[in-house]
Structure formats: structure tokens, C-alpha cells
Amino acid sequence: MDRRSLIIGYLLVAAGSALFSSKAIFIKLAYLERYDSLLILAWRMVFALPVFLVVGAVALARRKAEGKPMPRRNAVLGAIGIGLIGYYLAMVLDFAGLLYVTAQLERLALFTYPIFLIFLGAAFFGMKLTASALVAALITYLGLAVVFVSDFSAGGSDVTLGTLLVLGAAVSFALYQLMAKRYIGEMGSTLFTSVALSAAAVTTLAHVLIVRGHLDTSMSAHYFMLAAGIGILATVLPSFFVNAGMARIGAASTAIISNVSPLLTIYFAVVLLGEEFTMPHAIGTALVVGGVGYHTWRELKKPVREEV
């Protein structure tokens, strides 16, 4: 692969990681106007759903044009089910958690999902639990505990509830990662993602209509701009950017670059939201990013060497 294509790949992954990191910031800004996690989640999906439906339709048309078989019914149903676990459930828990914790703590707690993947994989999917994985888990959760204790002194039990909700979202996304591989191989990543996210979006909107009876449209133009930002800038675009970049530079390099995402969230939270960043936050962040980064490096060391 030529140097130009590699540079484009790195830039796409970096841009995608930066956009992903903006999600919590958009949500926190929306909460300043309307303190309602379900409402902003629903409007996020209103803006994101049409894009994923179009992308899914294009992916199906391309498969047909290339003479590839259509996905089996069981594969489509599997993608829908996994989308409900890995996106719908994770989003509901994550957005609810942001009602109680800072954007910094939310991003660090959510960033621990690879560590949950280790233990869930060992418990239910036959993966081997290694000493290096245990070391990574110890470092990561020690860092999360440092930030949690610091925030708990100011927020009390609300911080505990919020952290548990976000950790639940991390568990849901880890399960998604573990279960998705078999269906991605059959459907392709683009079609699978479109089906999974579309299912999550439709379920979210149905959830709102069942609970509320209608989708509230009384918010300000500023609120809708934030919702559009979450749906397009923090959901749709980074998904495509990261996938396109990964196709050029590989999964190993993508995972390493993505480790900067929590740092960007913290920067935005301090600059745009005025959140405090104290010494415990610095120590905890370093430990969480270091633990996950160490695990990523250990797991992807061989593929990185092959790419070079």
C-alpha cells in the first residue's frame, strides 16, 4: 500500500476517534436545556436512522450486483438481536449514566469495555485468560477507582449510580463485540452495522412512543442542533471514518490510535463544559488509558509486526 493511502487511513481513524469522543459533550450540553436521557437518545436516532437505512440498502444492492448471496435470515435476525444488546441497551444505559456523572468519568468507564471483553470471553466464549490481561485489568480498574473516588466526594450516591449504568453499557458493548464476529463474516461489516444500528434506532423510537405516547418536538433549535450533532457527527460519520481508515491501516493500528479518544473527551469536557481536571483525574486517566493500551498492545503485537 502506498504512503498516501496510509496517511489518509491514519487521518480517517484519528478524525473518527475525535468525533466519537464528542458524544458525551453533545449530550451534556443538551442536558443543560432538557434533563432527559431518553429524549436526546431518541432524537439522536431520528437523525442517524435514515443514513444507516440508505447505507444498508446500498450494501445490499452492491452484493446483488456482485453476484454475492443474500444474507441468511438467521444472520439478519442475529444482527438485529446483537444490535439490541450492543447498541440499544448500551445507549440507554450510557445516556442515563451521563445524568449522574461527568463526561470524563463516563468516557473512562465506557472505555473499559475491552477489559470486560476479556472476562466475558473467558467465561462464555472459550477465550484464554492470560496473566497480561489480568495485569491490564488491574491497572485499568485501579485508574477508574481513582477518578470515581475523586468524583464521589462531590456527587455521592449519584456518582455510584451513574458509574454502574455506564459500566453496564460497557458490558453490553463487550458482548456485542464478542457475538458480532460470526455475522460480520457473512454479511460484511457495512451491512451488519447498518442492520444492527437500524434495529437499535427503531427499538429506541418505539420505546419512546410506548413510554411517552409521542416524540416531544417542543425543544429549541439549539437542542435539535445538538441532537443532530450526536446523530451525525458523533455516530454516523465516525463509524464510516473508522471503518474506512481501518481498511487502509489495519485493525492493530486502528485500535492503538483509538486509545486517544478518552483524552479528547476529557479535553473537550474541561474546555467546553468547565469540568475540573485534578491530579486524581490525571492519575486515573493515565492508568485507565495505560491499562487498555497495554492490553491492546499485547493482543495486537503480532498483527502489527505483520503489517510492518
Side-chain angles (χ1 to χ4, degrees), residues 4 47 87 92 95 150 164 180 220 228-229 231 245 254 264 269 281 298:
R4 181 174 178 273
F47 286 103
Y87 283 111
V92 169
F95 278 51
S150 176
L164 289 175
S220 68
T254 298
L264 293 172
H281 287 93
R298 291 288 298 183

Side-chain angles (χ1 to χ4, degrees), residues 24-75:
I25 310 303
F26 279 118
I27 296 170
K28 281 293 191 181
L29 291 172
Y31 285 169
L32 294 176
E33 180 172 329
R34 186 69 68 88
Y35 209 59
D36 187 331
S37 63
L38 192 56
L39 182 62
I40 190 63
L41 175 56
W43 278 107
R44 175 198 197 187
M45 287 311 191
V46 166
F47 286 103
L49 177 58
V51 180
F52 283 112
L53 288 175
V54 170
V55 170
V58 171
L60 278 174
R62 184 173 297 173
R63 288 178 72 94
K64 185 176 181 179
E66 294 175 353
K68 294 181 180 179
M70 292 293 102
R72 295 177 300 112
R73 179 183 177 185
N74 287 346

Side-chain angles (χ1 to χ4, degrees), residues 23-28 31 35 37 40 91-107 110 161-163 165-166 265 273 275:
K23 179 203 67 180
I25 310 303
F26 279 118
I27 296 170
K28 281 293 191 181
Y31 285 169
Y35 209 59
S37 63
I40 190 63
M91 286 187 296
V92 169
L93 293 172
D94 183 39
F95 278 51
L98 271 166
L99 289 170
Y100 306 104
V101 299
T102 64
Q104 298 178 66
L105 181 54
E106 180 268 351
R107 193 65 186 88
L110 196 61
L161 175 59
T163 302
L165 287 169
V166 178
T265 299
L273 300 178
E275 292 184 2

Side-chain angles (χ1 to χ4, degrees), residues 5 20 27 48 50 80 100 106 114 120 122 148 154 183 201 218 221 230 232 255 275 294:
S5 183
F20 270 133
I27 296 170
I80 291 172
Y100 306 104
E106 180 268 351
L120 291 171
F148 171 81
Y183 298 110
S218 64
I230 301 171
I232 304 300
E275 292 184 2
Y294 171 71

